[in-house]
Amino acid sequence: MKFKIRILSLLLMLLLSTIMAEAAITTHRTDELGTITGTVTDKADGKTIIGATVSIPDLRRGSITDVNGHYSLENLPKGVYLVQVSYIGYATFNQRVDFTKTTTLDIQLQASSIETGEVVITGVSKATEIKRDPVPMVAVGKTFLDQRSAAGNVIDMIANLPGVSAVTTGPNVSKPFIHGLGYNRVVTLQDGIRQEGQQWGDEHGVEVDQNSIDRVEVIKGPASLSYGSDAIGGVVNLITPPPVANGKILGSVQGTYGTNNNLLNGSFRLYGNNNGFVWGTILSAKEAKDYQNPHDGRVYATNFKEKDARFMMGLNKKWGTSYFNFSLFDDQQAIPDGSRDSVTRQFTKQITEDDASRTIVPASELNSYKLPVLHQHVQLYRIYNNSNFNVGDGNLLVNLGYQFSHRREYTHPEDADVAGLNLHLSTFTYDFKYSFNLNNGYETTVGVNGQYQNNTIGDATEFPIPAYHQFDIGPFIIMKKSFGKLDLSGGARIDSRSFHGQAAYIDTAGKYPVLFNPSNAATPPTVISQFSALNKTFSGFNGSFGAAYNFSNNFLLKANIARGFRAPSIAELSANGPDPGSQIYHIGNNNFKPEFSTQEDIGMFVTLPNVSFSVELFNNNIQNYIFQQQELNADGSPVLTQGYNTFTYVQSKARINGGEISLDIHPLSWLHFENSIALTYGQNLGTGGPVADSLKYLPFIPPLHTHSELKGNFSKGFGRFKNVYGFVGFDHFSAQNRFFAAYGTETYTAGYNLLNAGIGTELVNAAGQTWVKLFIEGTNLGNVNYQSNMSRLKYFDNANVPAGVQPGIFNMGRNVSFKVVVPFDLSPHPKS
């Protein structure tokens, strides 16, 4: 049945895309198409630049300059689009071009020590320079991601960006947080398709192959206008590689090794383009042992094995573009609980169902890639289509996707094949947008998007959430207009989300609880009600308005106000069961109201020849904020339900505010001294009465974080070594004494300092083509014992810890990562 659903969904997307493509074809004539060719050179000396990237972000078209600095882009549709040219060590070139009038565009890049001109496509009607969009955003490309080779996953790669952090459960499970908001308040996208995989869960990471991501764009603040419910905190858009230039078949093989947990990460990539028929594949696999630190030694049950595969095929034609993507994420992740021997403090493991006694984990098992019996197995299958059709004088963007998330947690040591948790989540997402220019240059986008979900709870023994159906829909309009130096943008949206939760009964007569299906026969006395039927509909209005004023090329002010909307998640409404991976028994509340937020942002940006400086401030007031708090007995001990700590969801008013300051100094063209500071305050405002001191702060708020990095970039390199770089970084995290202390939910976290460094280069041949790329990064080089307040492992330990011993698991110690990338070119050679 599941296979048939997947096939039907694929056929539906194919049919819709074919109909739209045919409609688009009829609206365009061949003579309305354009071709742009040109040469990219260095403005100072006139020398051609090999390997510069020439791209049209809206169309996902691109080309790389050849050994003569030449590029060519064909079959470009009618209209004006932004063309971007970038190369390391040069200022990014951005220019809007009318493809029906311009056929040749020679570009001179100017060497620059200041990184400017970054373009985003996330949450805007058309590709836009970040500095000209009022909404707070940040974007990083492949160079940035490659240099973070020590990161265990794609979220960790961006977790140190100002305003961005991550809640972690070991090195391979990270959830993005933006300005103190995460879980179901941040929407994660892959190529604009919503990522859906039980985000409510503490230990549920983002199911994406880090090797398949070439770019990340982040909206820092409410983005419900474009993405609906759950984007109240922001958006993380993970973007896969664009198609290669026409006539090219390009690939690479890469491998990464990490010294701390003996990480092995390998990936193969191959992309091609034959007269507009584009295709590509990425195959990856990684595994790691338990990570280690000086305080804990090797941390039991933090090892993992992951396999990933994706395939893309599509068309770049006169009517537009259409890409189909197929991907598989398969991760087996151990489940730590932090239990220790009371005398030696060595890690122990559960060996029997009653857990009456435990054995110490032997060194051979701690130093092994083999996963323990207790582990989770997460699989995510994706089929999605990204299309951009040229219709009339505008563009119709269509994003359709189907995902099947299968999450199993094996929690029975004597029955290794019996899943404690077994969730099946099918999600269909749809996103239709039509972008066009109204009279007088008003860039306008009208659209509708949403999703349909079906969740079943499968053959399991633990049932934290019910089976349910969910449907979202939200029509919206976005407009943007430039008045010389002033850019204005705004929009409005109406959202609706409907839940239909199914009643469920559990039979407790056997060794393990099982689902019971009521019938006409008498119900056995061992059957209990687990979930009541639930029918809820939430709706809300949200919008955004902002302005950016360019006083000059060197000085810019931005301001934005946005209203966000979030419907409660199924866990917040209906949870009544344990989640073994999080070590929590969740209890929901079906009387919750939706969350609404109002966030004000203001930013100032100064860019001088050798200095850039920015200040960004935000204030976010949230109505009906939902969070979890632990339940305690009268003597202060945790309430245990089925052996798990019990947490209930509650609702309150909240305020989160703070900001980021960045100062980048470039005393020499090759030398960069980058500095940033980020501060976020989260306050519980209560429900009208006074708020106790233990309740006054919100959970999972990152502490004051400063980052300084001294970096040397030598893009022209030395002889055959090009794009040489080296950096030394220092991170300070202040103590977090503003924590949600009530009921023992959170505890004080001491401050700490971390030192990291990295070097890298490309080795090229005589023609200037890259043979091999090398990236080396060391993190926590001081081998500091520390606990992050954003790490859930901080709370994993015995119920009673000896006096003088800091409870919980510490973060990873020193780690040095070596990454090697070998590119290759299988393109057919032109006939002479």
Side-chain angles (χ1 to χ4, degrees):
M1 181 63 183
K2 295 172 186 173
F3 179 76
K4 291 180 180 179
I5 292 175
R6 294 175 200 165
I7 294 298
L8 287 173
S9 66
L10 175 59
L11 291 175
L12 177 62
M13 288 192 293
L14 284 169
L15 177 61
L16 286 172
S17 297
T18 301
I19 293 172
M20 293 174 184
E22 291 297 328
I25 289 172
T26 63
T27 66
H28 273 263
R29 304 189 311 271
T30 303
D31 59 6
E32 292 179 331
L33 301 175
T35 297
I36 287 186
T37 62
T39 303
V40 179
T41 58
D42 186 312
K43 186 175 182 178
D45 57 22
K47 292 183 178 179
T48 57
I49 297 177
I50 303 170
T53 300
V54 183
S55 63
I56 307 169
D58 285 314
L59 302 177
R60 293 201 74 185
R61 304 280 189 95
S63 179
I64 304 294
T65 55
D66 60 21
V67 293
N68 299 312
H70 182 76
Y71 73 92
S72 177
L73 292 166
E74 301 174 346
N75 288 330
L76 301 176
K78 174 184 177 181
V80 179
Y81 293 88
L82 188 142
V83 174
Q84 182 181 63
V85 184
S86 59
Y87 190 72
I88 297 174
Y90 291 84
T92 300
F93 172 91
N94 290 301
Q95 181 175 311
R96 293 199 175 275
V97 178
D98 188 339
F99 297 147
T100 60
K101 298 178 180 178
T102 304
T103 58
T104 302
L105 183 64
D106 293 326
I107 299 158
Q108 293 180 321
L109 295 185
Q110 185 167 358
S112 174
S113 55
I114 301 290
E115 294 81 8
T116 60
E118 193 68 69
V119 168
V120 294
I121 61 173
T122 304
V124 294
S125 56
K126 278 193 173 183
T128 303
E129 286 187 70
I130 289 179
K131 68 179 183 179
R132 297 192 70 101
D133 195 280
V135 177
M137 297 184 188
V138 64
V140 295
K142 184 163 176 56
T143 299
F144 177 95
L145 299 177
D146 277 335
Q147 293 176 6
R148 272 67 185 171
S149 57
N153 57 77
V154 70
I155 300 303
D156 281 351
M157 288 177 169
I158 62 171
N160 273 349
L161 293 174
V164 182
S165 55
V167 165
T168 63
T169 311
N172 200 42
V173 178
S174 297
K175 303 176 75 69
F177 265 57
I178 300 173
H179 289 164
L181 296 175
Y183 293 91
N184 286 79
R185 296 185 180 94
V186 170
V187 167
T188 303
L189 310 170
Q190 180 164 322
D191 293 332
I193 303 292
R194 288 176 65 117
Q195 171 92 13
E196 293 293 326
Q198 315 285 2
Q199 296 96 308
W200 55 268
D202 288 292
E203 83 294 357
H204 302 174
V206 174
E207 299 96 337
V208 172
D209 172 20
Q210 67 189 84
N211 302 302
S212 69
I213 303 303
D214 272 16
R215 180 174 175 80
V216 182
E217 297 180 357
V218 180
I219 299 177
K220 298 191 292 184
S224 303
L225 174 62
S226 297
Y227 299 102
S229 180
D230 302 349
I232 196 170
V235 170
V236 177
N237 192 6
L238 308 171
I239 302 173
T240 59
V244 298
N246 186 32
K248 293 291 185 180
I249 301 177
L250 305 176
S252 66
V253 177
Q254 73 177 45
T256 303
Y257 174 75
T259 59
N260 184 284
N261 56 354
N262 302 111
L263 170 72
L264 299 172
N265 184 354
S267 185
F268 169 82
R269 175 184 298 200
L270 188 64
Y271 274 67
N273 185 339
N274 182 17
N275 293 322
F277 173 70
V278 298
W279 55 271
T281 187
I282 300 175
L283 307 174
S284 303
K286 65 178 181 180
E287 63 177 350
K289 301 178 182 178
D290 295 328
Y291 80 81
Q292 56 190 316
N293 61 57
H295 183 271
D296 301 308
R298 286 202 180 269
V299 178
Y300 178 61
T302 57
N303 55 338
F304 57 87
K305 296 177 183 288
E306 179 183 317
K307 295 177 289 185
D308 304 281
R310 68 175 291 106
F311 181 72
M312 180 274 288
M313 64 178 181
L315 296 173
N316 289 343
K317 294 297 183 180
K318 61 184 181 180
W319 41 263
T321 61
S322 184
Y323 306 134
F324 284 91
N325 296 267
F326 312 83
S327 68
L328 165 65
F329 173 93
D330 190 310
D331 178 44
Q332 296 184 73
Q333 180 82 42
I335 302 176
D337 63 13
S339 65
R340 319 284 183 107
D341 179 74
S342 59
V343 178
T344 65
R345 292 287 291 167
Q346 292 177 281
F347 285 102
T348 62
K349 63 177 180 177
Q350 183 181 356
I351 55 175
T352 61
E353 193 66 32
D354 61 13
D355 203 15
S357 63
R358 293 193 171 213
T359 61
I360 293 176
V361 182
S364 59
E365 191 170 342
L366 289 169
N367 194 34
S368 172
Y369 288 104
K370 184 179 179 181
L371 290 169
V373 172
L374 306 185
H375 69 280
Q376 55 179 318
H377 188 186
V378 181
Q379 294 171 303
L380 183 69
Y381 304 86
R382 285 191 193 87
I383 304 174
Y384 63 93
N385 173 263
N386 303 121
S387 293
N388 187 338
F389 302 113
N390 310 313
V391 179
D393 292 325
N395 293 85
L396 176 64
L397 286 78
V398 180
N399 296 314
L400 299 172
Y402 168 76
Q403 299 169 65
F404 175 68
S405 171
H406 190 189
R407 180 176 296 276
R408 286 157 288 181
E409 295 182 1
Y410 296 95
T411 57
H412 302 297
E414 296 176 285
D415 295 288
D417 296 330
V418 176
L421 185 73
N422 195 353
L423 301 175
H424 307 81
L425 179 65
S426 296
T427 305
F428 297 84
T429 59
Y430 62 94
D431 180 18
F432 299 90
K433 293 192 284 279
Y434 184 62
S435 296
F436 59 98
N437 282 341
L438 285 176
N439 294 334
N440 301 318
Y442 285 89
E443 292 184 10
T444 305
T445 298
V446 294
V448 61
N449 54 31
Q451 62 180 338
Y452 170 79
Q453 286 189 338
N454 180 49
N455 184 77
T456 62
I457 47 184
D459 296 326
T461 65
E462 293 157 337
F463 310 94
I465 61 172
Y468 69 91
H469 303 286
Q470 173 189 318
F471 178 71
D472 296 2
I473 186 168
F476 61 93
I477 180 170
I478 303 173
M479 298 187 72
K480 182 177 180 180
K481 170 67 174 176
S482 294
F483 300 90
K485 296 181 178 181
L486 176 64
D487 297 291
L488 298 177
S489 68
R493 177 189 181 103
I494 298 176
D495 267 297
S496 177
R497 169 173 288 183
S498 299
F499 279 113
H500 299 283
Q502 298 178 16
Y505 300 87
I506 306 298
D507 191 342
T508 62
K511 182 178 180 180
Y512 301 117
V514 295
L515 281 175
F516 175 80
N517 294 318
S519 63
N520 294 329
T523 300
T526 55
V527 172
I528 60 174
S529 173
Q530 184 75 3
F531 302 106
S532 299
L534 172 73
N535 290 287
K536 287 279 188 176
T537 298
F538 302 96
S539 59
F541 168 83
N542 53 77
S544 175
F545 179 76
Y549 191 82
N550 294 266
F551 288 88
S552 69
N553 291 332
N554 300 325
F555 182 51
L556 167 70
L557 280 179
K558 299 201 303 185
N560 192 74
I561 183 169
R563 174 181 166 91
F565 161 82
R566 185 181 80 91
S569 71
I570 189 65
E572 293 164 343
L573 292 170
S574 300
N576 182 30
D579 182 4
S582 67
Q583 301 294 302
I584 288 176
Y585 190 101
H586 300 271
I587 298 178
N589 185 334
N590 61 16
N591 293 316
F592 281 155
K593 299 176 181 179
E595 292 180 349
F596 290 96
S597 74
T598 303
Q599 178 164 317
E600 303 93 16
D601 293 276
I602 186 169
M604 179 186 73
F605 303 84
V606 177
T607 305
L608 301 174
N610 298 103
V611 177
S612 60
F613 174 74
S614 67
V615 178
E616 295 182 272
L617 305 176
F618 72 94
N619 180 64
N620 192 4
N621 287 285
I622 306 175
Q623 302 294 319
N624 308 319
Y625 178 83
I626 301 171
F627 59 98
Q628 288 193 91
Q629 63 183 27
Q630 188 169 1
E631 290 193 340
L632 299 182
N633 294 306
D635 62 359
S637 62
V639 172
L640 298 180
T641 306
Q642 298 180 17
Y644 298 97
N645 290 339
T646 305
F647 279 70
T648 57
Y649 290 96
V650 294
Q651 198 161 42
S652 178
K653 295 180 181 179
R655 177 185 296 124
I656 304 178
N657 50 26
E660 299 95 44
I661 301 175
S662 296
L663 174 64
D664 297 344
I665 304 172
H666 303 264
L668 302 171
S669 61
W670 56 270
L671 185 61
H672 309 250
F673 185 39
E674 302 174 354
N675 304 272
S676 65
I677 180 171
L679 178 62
T680 303
Y681 286 123
Q683 187 175 359
N684 178 11
L685 301 181
T687 56
V691 178
D693 287 345
S694 63
L695 289 164
K696 66 186 298 184
Y697 301 116
L698 301 180
F700 283 132
I701 298 296
L704 173 73
H705 173 211
T706 67
H707 174 76
S708 294
E709 184 173 294
L710 186 65
K711 184 174 183 178
N713 272 328
F714 305 91
S715 58
K716 295 183 179 179
F718 310 95
R720 294 289 181 89
F721 294 93
K722 304 296 184 184
N723 293 324
V724 180
Y725 74 90
F727 70 87
V728 176
F730 178 81
D731 286 274
H732 167 74
F733 293 85
S734 293
Q736 183 54 289
N737 52 15
R738 296 170 175 263
F739 56 92
F740 183 57
Y743 320 109
T745 304
E746 287 189 326
T747 59
Y748 169 84
T749 305
Y752 54 93
N753 300 308
L754 300 178
L755 180 68
N756 59 85
I759 57 174
T761 187
E762 296 181 16
L763 178 62
V764 302
N765 60 18
Q769 298 169 321
T770 301
W771 278 0
V772 64
K773 300 179 182 180
L774 175 65
F775 307 92
I776 302 174
E777 184 186 17
T779 56
N780 192 9
L781 292 176
N783 210 23
V784 174
N785 280 316
Y786 74 98
Q787 289 178 319
S788 166
N789 81 304
M790 305 295 284
S791 170
R792 295 184 55 256
L793 297 186
K794 177 176 182 283
Y795 302 97
F796 286 21
D797 208 321
N798 296 340
N800 299 305
V801 177
V805 174
Q806 175 64 36
I809 296 172
F810 282 63
N811 285 66
M812 183 181 285
R814 180 186 298 115
N815 182 43
V816 180
S817 175
F818 301 86
K819 179 176 179 178
V820 177
V821 181
V822 180
F824 55 85
D825 188 342
L826 301 180
S827 307
H829 297 290
K831 296 180 180 179
S832 55

